[in-house]
Amino acid sequence: MKLPDIMKAKKKPLDTVALADLGVEAESQFKITNTGPPPERQKGVMVADIAGLVSELKKKGLVDG
Amino acid sequence: MVSVLLIAEHDGRDLNPSTARCVSCAASFAGNAVDIAVFAEHGQDVAEQAAALEGVRRILLIDRPENAPPLAAVLAPQVAALAADYSHVLGPSTTFGKDLMPRVAALLGVGQLSDIMAAETPYRFERPIYAGNAIVDVEADPQTKLVATVRTASYPQAVTGGSAQIEARSLNIDLPQHTRFVELRTDADTSRPDLQAAARVVSGGRGVGSADNFALIYALADALGAAVGASRAAVDAGYVANDLQVGQTGKIIAPELYVAVGISGAIQHLTGIKDAGTIVAINKDEEAPIFEVADIGLVADLFTAVAELTDALKR
């Protein structure tokens, strides 16, 4: 886009229409009553190796054994 | 009188678990005034699966050939016609529901409430905004019909054991002809569980490094009986197809076990896994944000760690 085009665009007519004239209702059926932070996840455990990882998974019953 | 019409998601044979999760949501504020609409061709099996869900009052089966492919443009006017008898119309916030429900809302001349994660009353809900970084309480006008999608990850599946009545309905309305189903082409691997519904998911990220290296992820997934997912970085890099993407712009999932391999844990990814039961992270960077949310973290080179873990699980 070139500067002369921007200058020309500024001369274009700009109509303002009242919402009521369009016959629409701007009323929303929804209202936001509160905004808050999401629940946080607890920080978990760090394991040193695969054996540790597998035993943690076993503790939670996620793998057999 | 609060009564819910819930739109069943299915593939023509099996009811998608998202429907059972939506039943839990609907039952939480509407008691037993929950009906499920099954749009299908030869949908008796699907209707029976829906009827077995605890807490459902009736199944409405709208059986016609046009309903075989789940086309939003074809289903929406039928849902809108059925909606006359209900105060609430719900669908899952899966690709299916996100396609269909806005059309239903538009046909009914109402707005749509998206991603219900908790219902305090039939007209007061919690929903996430800003990719789950904030939760808003939304109040809906009780005088207006409510069309909404349910964030399925926020609800457990309703148990089976019920025996709702199945009613066949025929709707005397003209269906749009402008949209028709042509053909389904998919590379989707049907030998593994479906990502959205799976109880266990193993995902790979940019750290996996290449499409070939993803074989490691598949091997681990198979050892666990898990579905395979991926971060956006892995999808963008072309390692896997984009229907495997987990996160804000992909799938939001809630498996019992989620294993993130070589995924740093961008906020958009974490949004997709927040409701997972247990999150396991394997990453070589101990500063990776994924460790902030992981229940079990392992700082290790993923190539040796994943192979070792796969072996350990097979033993």
Side-chain angles (χ1 to χ4, degrees), chain B:
Chain B
M1 226 1 231
V2 171
S3 58
V4 177
L5 178 68
L6 172 60
I7 314 305
E9 177 173 3
H10 64 87
D11 62 3
R13 274 182 314 157
D14 294 315
L15 191 67
N16 189 291
S18 66
T19 306
R21 291 174 183 268
C22 287
V23 168
S24 296
C25 171
S28 76
F29 64 84
N32 68 347
V34 180
D35 292 355
I36 298 181
V38 176
F39 295 91
E41 182 188 24
H42 311 308
Q44 188 64 27
D45 283 359
V46 175
E48 278 168 19
Q49 292 166 42
L53 293 171
E54 198 79 65
V56 178
R57 184 176 60 184
R58 266 190 315 182
I59 309 299
L60 309 178
L61 175 59
I62 303 89
D63 214 314
R64 57 193 291 177
E66 294 91 334
N67 288 344
L71 283 183
V74 174
L75 299 186
Q78 302 178 66
V79 177
L82 283 179
D85 301 333
Y86 297 89
S87 62
H88 292 60
V89 186
L90 295 188
S93 66
T94 55
T95 310
F96 167 77
K98 287 195 266 192
D99 191 20
L100 174 62
M101 301 314 283
R103 283 180 181 266
V104 173
L107 288 172
L108 295 172
V110 298
Q112 187 202 254
L113 180 65
S114 302
D115 294 328
I116 293 175
M117 54 190 295
E120 221 176 284
T121 75
Y123 294 98
R124 261 185 91 93
F125 302 95
E126 285 180 15
R127 64 173 296 257
I129 57 168
Y130 304 136
N133 285 307
I135 309 296
V136 290
D137 293 352
V138 182
E139 247 178 47
D141 176 10
Q143 307 304 320
T144 310
K145 206 178 286 294
L146 185 75
V147 176
T149 60
V150 176
R151 184 174 182 275
T152 49
S154 298
Y155 290 93
Q157 290 183 35
V159 294
T160 54
S163 53
Q165 202 187 322
I166 300 173
E167 268 177 39
R169 285 283 180 98
S170 55
L171 296 169
N172 194 14
I173 52 172
D174 291 331
L175 297 183
Q177 304 293 320
H178 53 68
T179 305
R180 67 192 169 88
F181 175 80
V182 180
E183 124 179 71
L184 174 69
R185 271 182 250 174
T186 175
D187 301 324
D189 182 354
T190 50
S191 63
R192 292 192 175 81
D194 173 48
L195 175 58
Q196 192 113 48
R200 295 163 169 207
V201 174
V202 179
S203 279
R206 199 199 310 268
V208 176
S210 73
D212 291 342
N213 290 348
F214 243 81
L216 269 174
I217 304 295
Y218 285 109
L220 176 56
D222 290 345
L224 279 167
V228 171
S231 70
R232 176 160 179 196
V235 169
D236 283 353
Y239 303 166
V240 290
N242 60 9
D243 58 347
L244 294 191
Q245 188 178 322
V246 172
Q248 190 184 356
T249 47
K251 292 185 168 114
I252 294 176
I253 55 175
E256 272 169 46
L257 173 65
Y258 185 76
V259 184
V261 179
I263 291 177
S264 63
I267 188 76
Q268 291 84 352
H269 185 75
L270 300 184
T271 299
I273 60 170
K274 265 184 191 152
D275 294 292
T278 298
I279 298 176
V280 174
I282 301 174
N283 202 304
K284 67 176 181 216
D285 173 15
E286 59 183 298
E287 301 290 317
I290 189 81
F291 290 122
E292 295 295 315
V293 298
D295 298 287
I296 309 173
L298 174 64
V299 179
D301 175 66
L302 71 93
F303 296 103
T304 51
V306 170
E308 248 186 81
L309 180 57
T310 307
D311 281 348
L313 291 170
K314 278 188 188 156
R315 243 180 276 137

